[in-house]
Amino acid sequence: MNTDIQILDLLPTRLKEARRAQGLSLDAVAKLSGVSRSMVSQIERGESSPTIATLWNLTRALQVDFAGLLEDGTAQDRIELLRDADVPTIENRGLGCRIRILSPPEEAGKHEVYELVLDENGLLESQAHARGAREQLSVIEGRIEVVSGASRDVLNAGDTARYSADVTHSIRALKDGARAFLIVQNA
């Protein structure tokens, strides 16, 4: 482990890199972590040293390993584990839709994996992603209507749809709600 001074020198940069790797704004990290936007900004600029509780909330929100954030970065054989309660969740996107972020932060913008939990008629509408982007939606429970551009289809539990995400697209639960896994691949 590094000395206290080296840790304090690494922390602001590592937190900022983790936030940017996920494509998150300061506001988004504040919402996910419960740490104020100004505090996140001060920590990233090295103007404030976070408490252990604050650091723990930030690392959970950014999906980074608490200890690994402070080490010299050498990879070790290990299993990275996120318990159910520790998986970052976005609840203010869409209508009646909860999004759990399952992919690691370093995959943000490349290959992203989400669990979607939709209430009855829950809706997730998305603007066009980068050119060539595609999504794969696998329905675990319920029925879901998928719209990609002018195309529309209904999926039942066990069905998978692959479609263009570089056009306006949406996912809507039918009947009693639904649960699905969504993979977003950017070209």
Side-chain angles (χ1 to χ4, degrees):
M1 180 62 81
N2 297 309
T3 68
D4 291 346
I5 299 300
Q6 290 171 321
I7 289 171
L8 292 176
D9 289 343
L10 287 174
L11 187 60
T13 303
R14 295 272 175 90
L15 283 172
K16 191 174 203 174
E17 287 171 356
R19 177 177 63 80
R20 287 184 171 169
Q22 286 214 37
L24 296 174
S25 66
L26 289 169
D27 288 325
V29 171
K31 287 178 185 171
L32 288 170
S33 68
V35 176
S36 73
R37 181 192 186 285
S38 61
M39 178 57 75
V40 174
S41 178
Q42 288 173 3
I43 293 167
E44 284 188 1
R45 291 192 314 266
E47 296 173 0
S48 178
S49 296
T51 64
I52 295 295
T54 298
L55 186 57
W56 179 254
N57 288 336
L58 288 171
T59 57
R60 284 180 50 201
L62 293 168
Q63 293 182 301
V64 293
D65 177 54
F66 185 85
L69 186 67
L70 304 176
E71 292 175 353
D72 63 9
T74 57
Q76 299 174 358
D77 291 338
R78 62 186 166 145
I79 295 173
E80 183 178 340
L81 177 66
L82 247 69
R83 297 287 181 196
D84 183 47
D86 297 332
V87 174
T89 302
I90 303 168
E91 300 204 34
N92 58 351
R93 180 109 194 263
L95 175 68
C97 177
R98 187 177 66 163
I99 304 168
R100 292 170 31 100
I101 305 169
L102 303 177
S103 50
E106 61 270 13
E107 293 296 314
K110 295 178 262 182
H111 183 87
E112 302 166 6
V113 181
Y114 302 97
E115 178 189 22
L116 304 179
V117 180
L118 300 149
D119 297 335
E120 182 173 356
N121 292 315
L123 176 66
L124 178 62
E125 292 182 298
S126 299
Q127 296 300 313
H129 300 317
R131 186 175 184 178
R134 301 210 24 99
E135 290 185 355
Q136 176 175 311
L137 180 74
S138 296
V139 179
I140 307 304
E141 299 171 357
R143 293 179 48 149
I144 292 179
E145 177 187 59
V146 177
V147 176
S148 174
S151 298
R152 177 181 313 266
D153 216 326
V154 174
L155 287 75
N156 297 303
D159 293 345
T160 295
R162 295 180 188 98
Y163 51 90
S164 295
D166 57 1
V167 295
T168 301
H169 53 288
S170 66
I171 298 168
R172 182 172 61 93
L174 305 173
K175 294 267 182 175
D176 299 323
R179 189 167 72 94
F181 288 109
L182 176 66
I183 299 172
V184 180
Q185 291 181 296
N186 290 297

